[in-house]
Amino acid sequence: MSSSTSPRSFTLNDFDFELPPELIAQHPTAERSGSRLLDGAPGAVTDRIFRDLPGLLNPVDLLVFNDTKVIKARIFGEKASGGKLELLIERVLQGHQVVAHMKVSKKPLLGGKMHMAGGAHNGGFDAVLLGRWPDANGPLFHLQLSDEPHALMEKHGVMPLPPYIERPAGTADHEDTEEDAERYQTVFARAPGAVAAPTAALHFDEGVLAALAARGVHTASVTLHVGAGTFQPVKTENITEHHMHSEWYEVPEATQQAIAECKARGGQVVAVGTTTVRTLESWAKFNQASGDTEIFITPGFEFKVVDLLITNFHLPKSTLMMLVSAFAGYEHIMGLYRHAIAQKYRFFSYGDSMLLRRRT
């Protein structure tokens, strides 16, 4: 199931595939752990249910979660001149400042004021444009808010659902559905800062966590605040020319120790989601326990920490398709995707999951 051992050069088109639109999940399953799990063991691909996961792991293994919490980062407002706009707050800085994506017909001038959620004069808040970010030509906008950003988002924002999840007009535009407010968040979300959920972790519920504990499987957590760049398409056919988005991460000392102990006892480090892989492998590659990472994992990457990966099914031509291909082998991954499509697995954030072994 693995490709040739000789080096191969990949292009963007290698990671394309035909996905029937009806397989893009628009809503979560009735129960988190009732979703399907494709056990992608080489040579023994098996269709399972996610609640089967504890039986596939050993007491010596270590599950590592991303404990980031999705913030209500999408906020609507208007320029002082009256033009409608939408902010997607990507990162909170010091002093009530934020970095955000802006959707507006004509960008406001430097120093321009925006009235968000009605503006400060009408129960909302104001934002002033300080410049671009991270530099004068950066793709994001640096803003000064009139109050504490997290409190403002909690009061006035809505969940930033992925662009491929559609809601009837008038529902998700200015308010969350009860379903999305609950289900587009993991049960162990702790650290506010993500604008997209670490979706492989959405399948875990209290029943699965209890079964894992009863089996003796160890757990630990990292934090990576998932940015909107996770949905950014790759536009260069030569994938080495793609510039990855930056995301903030942290690997706590307790997790570093848990990984060392797992390796010492012969256990497997099981990453829950590609964000956890990016975090752990950034730590290992750059020897930094926290900071910003732009790590781009493509076939040929040498993994140093992660042995197993739980992940959802990803977009064609995405950096995440490249990551899972690097992890489990390109030919194997493409075969698993053909199987998943034939068996009508549900794709993307609210979709089903797969369990992958690191290619050796």
Side-chain angles (χ1 to χ4, degrees):
M1 280 288 222
S2 63
S3 58
S4 170
T5 54
S6 60
R8 173 181 169 181
S9 178
F10 288 90
T11 65
L12 179 60
N13 201 52
D14 287 320
F15 301 95
D16 195 13
F17 59 91
E18 194 71 33
L19 179 65
E22 63 270 18
L23 297 186
I24 300 174
Q26 296 297 314
H27 297 274
T29 53
E31 293 181 67
R32 288 178 185 264
S33 60
S35 56
R36 298 169 74 186
L37 173 67
L38 179 56
D39 184 351
V45 175
T46 309
D47 299 305
R48 302 184 186 275
I49 301 298
F50 193 82
R51 64 175 65 95
D52 296 338
L53 176 68
L56 304 178
L57 303 179
N58 301 312
V60 291
D61 295 340
L62 174 70
L63 264 176
V64 185
F65 301 99
N66 180 4
D67 66 5
T68 190
K69 185 175 184 179
V70 183
I71 53 178
K72 295 182 177 183
R74 193 173 175 219
I75 306 178
F76 299 85
E78 58 185 33
K79 296 184 294 183
S81 61
K84 302 292 185 185
L85 65 88
E86 175 187 331
L87 295 181
L88 179 64
I89 296 177
E90 175 94 7
R91 186 176 299 205
V92 175
L93 307 175
Q94 298 293 319
H96 296 178
Q97 294 181 13
V98 300
V99 172
H101 301 263
M102 188 186 305
K103 188 183 293 185
V104 64
S105 59
K106 185 179 180 182
K107 300 292 188 290
L109 299 174
L110 191 67
K113 182 177 284 190
M114 291 151 275
H115 304 302
M116 306 307 300
H121 62 285
N122 194 30
F125 66 96
D126 294 331
V128 175
L129 179 60
L130 301 178
R132 296 276 186 150
W133 194 89
D135 52 46
N137 298 311
L140 303 179
F141 294 86
H142 185 190
L143 305 167
Q144 175 74 56
L145 306 190
S146 57
D147 208 337
E148 200 284 311
H150 286 293
L152 293 175
M153 285 187 281
E154 187 59 34
K155 183 176 182 181
H156 302 291
V158 296
M159 277 287 193
L161 292 177
Y164 45 74
I165 292 181
E166 300 175 354
R167 291 290 177 264
T171 55
D173 274 355
H174 292 275
E175 60 183 28
D176 292 318
T177 66
E178 287 187 25
E179 176 186 69
D180 293 324
E182 178 195 359
R183 295 296 298 277
Y184 196 64
Q185 197 79 269
T186 68
V187 296
F188 37 73
R190 180 195 61 83
V195 299
T199 54
L202 295 177
H203 305 281
F204 287 82
D205 55 22
E206 297 302 337
V208 168
L209 293 174
L212 288 164
R215 188 163 173 78
V217 176
H218 301 245
T219 59
S221 64
V222 297
T223 305
L224 181 138
H225 291 323
V226 192
T230 193
F231 304 115
Q232 179 183 333
V234 180
K235 297 178 180 178
T236 57
E237 188 62 26
N238 180 354
I239 63 175
T240 62
E241 296 175 358
H242 177 70
H243 181 70
M244 279 294 282
H245 58 287
S246 177
E247 294 170 315
W248 183 89
Y249 74 93
E250 180 179 24
V251 183
E253 280 191 28
T255 299
Q256 298 177 38
Q257 182 66 28
I259 290 169
E261 292 171 355
C262 174
K263 297 288 189 182
R265 63 176 176 260
Q268 304 170 106
V269 174
V270 187
V272 179
T274 55
T275 61
T276 300
V277 173
R278 284 169 50 78
T279 302
L280 293 177
E281 297 298 337
S282 293
W283 163 60
K285 183 177 177 68
F286 304 113
N287 197 31
Q288 285 189 306
S290 68
D292 286 294
T293 181
E294 296 178 350
I295 194 168
F296 187 16
I297 297 177
T298 59
F301 182 87
E302 183 181 345
F303 292 87
K304 297 181 178 179
V305 182
V306 180
D307 302 301
L308 270 70
L309 168 60
I310 300 165
T311 185
N312 280 22
F313 294 92
H314 306 295
L315 279 73
K317 295 186 174 182
S318 65
T319 60
L320 301 181
M321 279 297 293
M322 298 170 196
L323 184 153
V324 295
S325 296
F327 186 80
Y330 172 78
E331 298 293 349
H332 184 54
I333 286 294
M334 298 311 286
L336 291 175
Y337 271 65
R338 287 192 293 271
H339 175 91
I341 291 170
Q343 297 300 316
K344 293 184 166 41
Y345 274 72
R346 302 164 76 246
F347 275 62
F348 306 163
S349 295
Y350 274 152
D352 298 313
S353 64
M354 58 180 6
L355 176 64
L356 301 174
R357 276 77 173 167
R358 184 174 69 186
R359 181 187 181 190
T360 55

